[in-house]
Amino acid sequence: MSTSARLPYQHVCGPNCRDGQHEAEVQEEFQVARRSFLRDAMVAGGTAVSAGSLSLSMAPSAFAQSARPGNGMASHYYIPAAANTVLWGYFSKSAKPVVEVDSGDFLTIETLTHHANDDAERMVQGDRGAESVFFWDRQRKGVNRRGAGPMDAKVGAGGGEGVHICTGPVRVKGAEPGDILEVRIVDVVPRPSGNPKYKGKSFGSNAAANWGFHYGDTLTEPKKREVVTIYEVDATGERNWARAVYNFRWTPQTDPFGVVHPTIDYPGVPVDPRSITKNEKVLQNIRIPVRPHFGTMGVAPAEAEFVTSIPPNWTGGNIDNWRIGKGATVYYPVAVPGAMFQVGDPHASQGDSELCGTAIECSLTGTFQLILHKKADLPGTPLAELKYPLLETQDEWLLHGFSYANYLAELGPNAQSEIYKKSSVDLALRDAYHKMRHFLMTTQNLGEDEAISLMSIAVDFGITQVVDGNWGVHALVKKSIFPARGG
Amino acid sequence: MSTSARLPYQHVCGPNCRDGQHEAEVQEEFQVARRSFLRDAMVAGGTAVSAGSLSLSMAPSAFAQSARPGNGMASHYYIPAAANTVLWGYFSKSAKPVVEVDSGDFLTIETLTHHANDDAERMVQGDRGAESVFFWDRQRKGVNRRGAGPMDAKVGAGGGEGVHICTGPVRVKGAEPGDILEVRIVDVVPRPSGNPKYKGKSFGSNAAANWGFHYGDTLTEPKKREVVTIYEVDATGERNWARAVYNFRWTPQTDPFGVVHPTIDYPGVPVDPRSITKNEKVLQNIRIPVRPHFGTMGVAPAEAEFVTSIPPNWTGGNIDNWRIGKGATVYYPVAVPGAMFQVGDPHASQGDSELCGTAIECSLTGTFQLILHKKADLPGTPLAELKYPLLETQDEWLLHGFSYANYLAELGPNAQSEIYKKSSVDLALRDAYHKMRHFLMTTQNLGEDEAISLMSIAVDFGITQVVDGNWGVHALVKKSIFPARGG
């Protein structure tokens, strides 16, 4: 269905696909994702995957009218997670794209949690994609660079300055700085364990880690402990809650290169099961509501060549809002040619604030539609002047405030380390106030006094996260407040 | 139905009440509230207002089993809002109680917004209760003390150190420090305008004021302006949204005693309509979802004789959480003999953070059931060790963190003024973390590591308010997470 050039792992797929060429990369989860995707497409009223029919019924968007990318049929790409389709721990404007797509195209993208090696038996073993990414022996790592830091860092290449495995980047044809990239999340499914022993189950890890808000402030000793809890999620998606399987206290782990990690200081270090004590009497009978979403999603920043994946920024990234799941749409300002979209840091569930440092970090596969809004078409639309990631759900608009709206520009040449010393919720609330005022004034044509009154009586400000360097506060406003838009 | 001694304005009322003695105080809103109350009671399955039948079906509580106050019939009291049934701007452990009740009794309590004089024509005129409270001529004020400050303060008696009109206090027989007072909100209705011109309508005021988070940080000049927006609410409760009527910029107002108020620096100053410019093109077609609730509710602190109503504290008070509405239950630690419960600061709607300084401040009438849990009965129950206000809704538990959990004790003799210099959201989040950890460990029998993991993946932390001196963060956890309780 597409004539675009084949890049590594690109697999163009549609309802009548007979392409067996990439069978080797097509994991079971692809079949699941594709079936789900096609089923939804059928429900949407047609057997052909046309952008028009899908965009309106599958991922409703307030900007649907302007989002139709012509009358052509959209392509559907599938990107498996593998050592050569991911960036580990960073955004990079000049990374080689995994695939190049047109506005309106669909992508099914596998994403892996960087915590899978907390329990490799459940989250890596038998999963060829995960095995290729997490591969690490005395000589070689499947993915060497982990983070935006120096390649000769003592702790490991990339320094762990950025930790999230992101699949991509995806280059969007024709995208230029000043444009807006609309990302619709059409579907999200958990990634089943590749180990036959755990068939039908997915797993995730929650690390109460040294970067958590609670760290050092505990009732019991040692106050500076790190505790990992492994959770089980139903891979079929039929059960909407997760349960804890066991927890263990982090003990110093020696990686295959011989480096000792006394704390969780580098991503993907394999935990040796013989070195830990599993406590299986943990959170018994407790049902954790499942909220599958992507912690990190966005486009590449322009300010630096390698940018850590940890602090979120005006181009998105590690926003860590659990509402960025199925049915949600996010609008990102494009900062570099091609936009360079990437997604990762999948979560099965998270609470607002992500208090202890992580969510239930759990590999997921998502289906996305990318729609490009050109700068020239923005004036007069609600996307004009958008300088921050804007989240739209079925019923709500959400804006994301950060301690520093554009920390890379605001904090100087050492911004990527300085940011960890300077954040506060108060600053993030200040930024969220500014952004919500801007949103109400520009998209709803309110005066400043009207916007300020409305914010106090009808906008809810919540704490998104306090663990990502650049802390976050989101502002949520219900769509039903506003008069119906025409057309 | 009750044999307790009659105190001023006490009116014992039940299904077969024929008491015409207090006809003069029984306003139309009493009839409305009483009809609504009795209708709900009928639905609950009986014509007699017995505590047992109501407590289980009207305001479900996790502690219902232990809450039944014996087998006797409960009394229903009605407290109109009037100059001698309110405290304006403060809590006081030794204020004369308006009424004394038994555990299990019901009270219908009128509450008035302290912003009613922002538009006296709509919110005071023709309303005998409001007229008695807001009365102010050259010689006399209906309620002279407004705030916990000195009576000879230049700005007015009480100094405006505390602003909320609260009805009460209600003395609870047998309550002692260490007990817990459970307050169930059975019903909440808006107070209709007493002016025939506005029949069937209620009104509220939102002041973007000098204590707002936005103050001084605006795009347009003057940056230090105060703007009042008047909102209309449907008094019949049939329409679930409010609309703006007009706004105006605060201009210096001279009160009847001749004191000039350049800003909103003292509560209840009558706004002279000739001194302001009404802008009626405001928030046109915008529908504000209505969330009627009580901003200020709680029991008297022990630490001082007069305590400002503005900062919330471990005994409750000005928590300003919009979830404290119909169907909610709040548990307060009792700090003084008789508990000395009071409620006021009614709101038609508010967003999390109350950004500009106020909600839609709108008079409401509530029906409450008060249930006393004696200290000796607490061990082994989830209320043991409760040292903060605990909020229960149909589906959730909410705990309230403050910048200072007990600011009166923590900040020394000048705590009531010091608190305004020291608050931050970060501190309030820290306190909310401690309280939620305590709640999970004591009521759900979790270990500390279990509690910390659960908080990160299933507890949402939101910003309650940043305008009440002692800033607030609430922690919300869904009841469905926990296994069903026995009984």
Side-chain angles (χ1 to χ4, degrees):
Chain A
M1 296 183 63
S2 166
T3 56
S4 57
R6 297 273 162 112
L7 294 164
Y9 284 97
Q10 176 185 338
H11 176 75
V12 179
C13 179
N16 304 310
C17 173
R18 296 284 177 275
D19 183 352
Q21 188 183 339
H22 296 82
E23 209 63 45
E25 295 112 44
V26 177
Q27 310 290 333
E28 191 191 351
E29 53 273 25
F30 174 26
Q31 301 301 337
V32 172
R34 186 163 166 264
R35 273 198 301 274
S36 163
F37 176 71
L38 294 176
R39 184 193 61 222
D40 288 353
M42 297 290 280
V43 171
T47 51
V49 181
S50 83
S53 64
L54 283 170
S55 67
L56 290 174
S57 51
M58 292 179 64
S61 149
F63 307 114
Q65 284 294 339
S66 60
R68 288 189 192 176
N71 296 318
M73 299 292 275
S75 296
H76 179 198
Y77 298 84
Y78 188 91
I79 310 180
N84 62 344
T85 60
V86 303
L87 303 182
W88 194 326
Y90 60 95
F91 283 79
S92 172
K93 58 187 172 186
S94 48
K96 191 181 171 196
V98 172
V99 68
E100 189 177 49
V101 303
D102 287 304
S103 176
D105 282 347
F106 292 84
L107 296 116
T108 297
I109 304 178
E110 297 179 7
T111 67
L112 294 176
T113 173
H114 53 295
H115 284 269
N117 251 348
D118 290 345
D119 184 335
E121 187 196 8
R122 285 179 168 83
M123 293 185 269
V124 178
Q125 233 172 273
D127 179 328
R128 280 186 301 159
E131 283 174 345
S132 83
V133 171
F134 283 92
F135 179 85
W136 193 345
D137 67 10
R138 284 188 184 191
Q139 283 73 47
R140 189 179 74 82
K141 282 146 84 183
V143 179
N144 193 30
R145 176 185 276 282
R146 303 183 183 182
M151 289 302 281
D152 60 355
K154 228 173 171 179
V155 77
E161 297 174 19
V163 295
H164 311 95
I165 301 170
C166 288
T167 308
V170 173
R171 191 185 162 87
V172 181
K173 278 185 206 161
E176 293 294 335
D179 298 345
I180 300 291
L181 184 65
E182 173 180 348
V183 179
R184 300 177 182 182
I185 305 179
V186 176
D187 200 16
V188 183
V189 292
R191 184 180 184 92
S193 175
N195 187 334
K197 200 169 152 187
Y198 301 108
K199 198 172 158 55
K201 295 176 178 175
S202 294
F203 295 93
S205 169
N206 170 254
N210 61 77
W211 59 89
F213 188 80
H214 72 292
Y215 193 67
D217 178 12
T218 57
L219 299 168
T220 46
E221 299 288 345
K223 291 194 190 301
K224 294 202 164 179
R225 66 187 181 270
E226 294 182 311
V227 176
V228 174
T229 309
I230 302 299
Y231 288 87
E232 180 191 311
V233 178
D234 176 23
T236 67
E238 286 176 11
R239 209 180 59 199
N240 66 354
W241 47 272
R243 68 177 190 90
V245 185
Y246 67 92
N247 71 9
F248 64 92
R249 193 172 293 179
W250 184 271
T251 53
Q253 298 293 324
T254 306
D255 71 34
F257 288 177
V259 176
V260 179
H261 303 271
T263 62
I264 305 174
D265 60 4
Y266 192 73
V269 171
V271 171
D272 180 351
R274 294 161 306 182
S275 73
I276 58 167
T277 305
K278 289 187 186 180
N279 164 28
E280 288 173 356
K281 288 195 176 164
V282 57
L283 293 165
Q284 291 180 301
N285 298 320
I286 302 261
R287 298 181 167 197
I288 317 296
V290 165
R291 302 166 162 179
H293 62 279
F294 298 98
T296 304
M297 184 162 92
V299 296
E303 287 84 357
E305 193 57 55
F306 289 98
V307 176
T308 164
S309 67
I310 294 174
N313 201 10
W314 68 286
T315 48
N318 190 29
I319 291 176
D320 275 331
N321 189 329
W322 56 264
R323 297 160 189 86
I324 302 181
K326 181 169 178 167
T329 298
V330 192
Y331 304 86
Y332 300 100
V334 173
V336 302
M340 309 302 275
F341 170 78
Q342 66 188 58
V343 56
D345 188 25
H347 295 168
S349 200
Q350 189 207 294
D352 281 336
S353 91
E354 202 181 12
L355 193 107
C356 82
T358 61
I360 298 181
E361 310 283 324
C362 171
S363 300
L364 301 172
T365 295
T367 296
F368 308 86
Q369 186 185 25
L370 305 189
I371 294 163
L372 183 66
H373 300 267
K374 291 299 294 175
K375 187 179 180 178
D377 302 331
L378 300 179
T381 79
L383 295 178
E385 292 183 44
L386 186 68
K387 289 194 172 54
Y388 45 80
L390 169 65
L391 168 59
E392 179 183 4
T393 69
Q394 185 73 33
D395 299 320
E396 302 150 350
W397 294 106
L398 286 117
L399 311 189
H400 295 96
F402 308 119
S403 295
Y404 296 88
N406 181 357
Y407 80 100
L408 290 170
E410 290 170 71
L411 299 184
N414 298 320
Q416 297 193 49
S417 52
E418 285 298 304
I419 185 67
Y420 295 97
K421 306 172 194 162
K422 300 194 172 213
S423 279
S424 80
V425 187
D426 298 49
L427 286 171
L429 174 62
R430 176 75 48 200
D431 187 42
Y433 153 56
H434 292 161
K435 286 170 176 169
M436 181 51 85
R437 179 179 63 188
H438 173 267
F439 176 80
L440 294 173
M441 292 177 73
T442 58
T443 72
Q444 309 299 333
N445 296 314
L446 299 183
E448 187 174 29
D449 292 333
E450 294 174 295
I452 288 172
S453 181
L454 194 61
M455 267 189 275
S456 200
I457 63 176
V459 174
D460 292 321
F461 291 83
I463 300 170
T464 327
Q465 52 74 28
V466 288
V467 295
D468 295 336
N470 202 8
W471 292 6
V473 164
H474 53 267
L476 181 160
V477 65
K478 287 196 163 54
K479 293 179 183 174
S480 59
I481 288 176
F482 306 111
R485 281 170 204 281
Chain B
M1 295 182 63
S2 166
T3 56
S4 57
R6 297 274 161 112
L7 292 165
Y9 284 99
Q10 177 186 335
H11 176 74
V12 180
C13 178
N16 305 310
C17 176
R18 295 285 178 275
D19 183 352
Q21 188 181 339
H22 296 81
E23 208 64 44
E25 295 110 44
V26 177
Q27 310 291 334
E28 189 189 353
E29 54 273 23
F30 174 26
Q31 302 302 338
V32 172
R34 185 162 169 267
R35 272 198 300 274
S36 163
F37 176 72
L38 295 177
R39 184 192 62 221
D40 288 354
M42 297 291 278
V43 171
T47 51
V49 181
S50 83
S53 63
L54 284 169
S55 67
L56 291 174
S57 51
M58 292 179 65
S61 149
F63 306 113
Q65 283 296 338
S66 61
R68 287 190 193 175
N71 296 317
M73 297 293 276
S75 296
H76 180 199
Y77 297 84
Y78 189 91
I79 310 180
N84 61 343
T85 60
V86 303
L87 303 181
W88 194 328
Y90 61 95
F91 282 80
S92 171
K93 58 186 173 186
S94 48
K96 190 180 172 196
V98 173
V99 69
E100 189 177 48
V101 302
D102 286 304
S103 175
D105 282 347
F106 292 84
L107 296 116
T108 295
I109 304 178
E110 297 180 6
T111 67
L112 294 176
T113 173
H114 54 293
H115 283 270
N117 251 349
D118 290 347
D119 184 334
E121 188 196 7
R122 284 178 168 85
M123 291 185 271
V124 179
Q125 230 171 277
D127 178 328
R128 279 187 301 161
E131 283 174 346
S132 83
V133 171
F134 283 92
F135 179 84
W136 193 345
D137 68 10
R138 285 186 184 194
Q139 283 74 44
R140 187 178 76 82
K141 283 145 86 183
V143 179
N144 192 29
R145 176 184 275 283
R146 302 183 184 182
M151 289 302 282
D152 61 354
K154 225 173 172 178
V155 77
E161 296 175 19
V163 296
H164 311 95
I165 302 171
C166 288
T167 308
V170 173
R171 190 184 164 88
V172 180
K173 278 184 207 159
E176 292 295 333
D179 299 344
I180 299 292
L181 184 65
E182 174 180 346
V183 179
R184 300 177 180 181
I185 305 178
V186 177
D187 199 16
V188 183
V189 292
R191 184 179 184 94
S193 176
N195 187 334
K197 200 168 153 188
Y198 301 107
K199 197 171 160 56
K201 295 176 179 175
S202 293
F203 295 92
S205 168
N206 170 254
N210 61 76
W211 60 89
F213 188 80
H214 72 291
Y215 193 67
D217 178 12
T218 57
L219 299 167
T220 46
E221 298 288 347
K223 290 193 190 301
K224 295 202 163 179
R225 65 187 181 270
E226 293 182 310
V227 177
V228 173
T229 309
I230 302 298
Y231 287 87
E232 179 191 312
V233 178
D234 175 24
T236 67
E238 286 175 13
R239 208 179 60 198
N240 65 354
W241 47 272
R243 69 176 190 90
V245 184
Y246 67 91
N247 72 7
F248 64 91
R249 193 172 293 178
W250 183 270
T251 53
Q253 298 293 325
T254 306
D255 71 34
F257 288 176
V259 176
V260 179
H261 302 272
T263 61
I264 305 175
D265 61 4
Y266 191 73
V269 171
V271 170
D272 180 352
R274 293 161 306 182
S275 73
I276 58 167
T277 306
K278 290 187 185 181
N279 164 27
E280 288 174 358
K281 289 195 175 164
V282 57
L283 293 165
Q284 291 179 301
N285 298 320
I286 302 262
R287 297 181 168 198
I288 316 298
V290 165
R291 303 165 161 180
H293 62 279
F294 298 97
T296 304
M297 184 162 90
V299 295
E303 287 84 356
E305 193 57 56
F306 289 97
V307 177
T308 162
S309 67
I310 294 175
N313 201 10
W314 66 287
T315 47
N318 191 29
I319 291 176
D320 276 331
N321 189 330
W322 56 263
R323 297 160 190 86
I324 302 181
K326 181 170 177 167
T329 298
V330 193
Y331 304 86
Y332 300 99
V334 173
V336 302
M340 308 303 274
F341 170 80
Q342 66 188 58
V343 56
D345 189 25
H347 295 167
S349 200
Q350 189 208 295
D352 280 337
S353 89
E354 202 181 11
L355 194 108
C356 82
T358 60
I360 298 181
E361 310 283 325
C362 170
S363 301
L364 301 172
T365 295
T367 296
F368 307 86
Q369 187 185 25
L370 305 190
I371 294 164
L372 183 65
H373 300 269
K374 290 300 293 176
K375 187 180 181 180
D377 301 330
L378 300 179
T381 79
L383 295 178
E385 291 183 43
L386 186 69
K387 291 197 171 51
Y388 45 80
L390 169 64
L391 167 60
E392 180 183 6
T393 69
Q394 185 74 30
D395 299 321
E396 302 150 349
W397 293 105
L398 287 118
L399 310 189
H400 295 96
F402 308 119
S403 295
Y404 295 88
N406 181 356
Y407 80 100
L408 290 171
E410 290 171 72
L411 298 184
N414 297 321
Q416 297 193 49
S417 51
E418 285 298 304
I419 185 67
Y420 295 97
K421 305 171 192 163
K422 302 194 172 212
S423 280
S424 81
V425 187
D426 297 50
L427 285 172
L429 175 62
R430 176 79 45 204
D431 187 42
Y433 153 56
H434 292 161
K435 286 171 176 169
M436 181 51 84
R437 180 179 62 188
H438 173 267
F439 176 80
L440 294 173
M441 292 176 74
T442 58
T443 73
Q444 308 298 331
N445 295 313
L446 299 183
E448 187 174 31
D449 291 333
E450 294 174 294
I452 288 171
S453 181
L454 194 61
M455 266 189 275
S456 200
I457 64 177
V459 174
D460 292 321
F461 290 83
I463 300 170
T464 327
Q465 52 75 26
V466 288
V467 295
D468 295 335
N470 201 8
W471 293 6
V473 164
H474 52 267
L476 181 160
V477 64
K478 286 193 163 55
K479 292 178 183 175
S480 59
I481 289 176
F482 306 112
R485 279 171 206 280

